[in-house]
Amino acid sequence: QVQVEESGGGLVQPGGSLRVSCAVSGRSLNTCTMAWFRQAPGKEREFVAVVRRRNGQFIAADFARGRFTSTKDNAKNTLYLQMNNLEPEDTAVYYCAASEKDLITSRLRVARDYDYWGQGTQVTVSS
């Protein structure tokens, strides 16, 4: 059974940076498709970024491209989402999700294709 747990959210000023973590247990994160989603109040959950299982490729949503990157610590089996130049519109609960499948391109951004989810971590961007 795969489990994922996010941490590292908090309050940051516009233009600031934050790194959120996703600790994975039960399986190596390198054998999973790992994704980040977010949900702002009153809005639907939306795709943020994904690290593909097949080759480790990082793919980000348009709003995240150039600002968000991903790194990992294999020894800790932990994935990180580094978020830079944050904007108030980035305020949301950020979720880490995992799939044991090597998802095809058309399914990478589909939340229901991920079987394992964390509880989420709140990121608030405000002055």
Side-chain angles (χ1 to χ4, degrees), residues 7-65:
S7 61
L11 174 65
V12 62
Q13 291 187 341
S17 298
L18 198 64
R19 188 181 77 165
V20 293
S21 304
C22 174
V24 181
S25 60
R27 187 180 177 108
S28 169
L29 66 87
N30 293 312
T31 64
C32 296
T33 302
M34 299 296 304
W36 293 94
F37 290 80
R38 71 183 187 183
Q39 188 165 18
K43 294 187 176 181
E44 294 187 352
R45 190 169 297 190
E46 66 176 343
F47 169 80
V48 176
V50 64
V51 179
R52 300 195 75 161
R53 170 181 151 172
R54 63 182 60 177
N55 56 11
Q57 180 188 12
F58 176 74
I59 301 171
D62 287 347
F63 65 80
R65 202 167 297 140

Side-chain angles (χ1 to χ4, degrees), residues 38-46 88-95 122-124:
R38 71 183 187 183
Q39 188 165 18
K43 294 187 176 181
E44 294 187 352
R45 190 169 297 190
E46 66 176 343
E89 293 73 23
D90 295 314
T91 295
V93 177
Y94 283 71
Y95 296 93
Q122 176 71 46
V123 172
T124 302

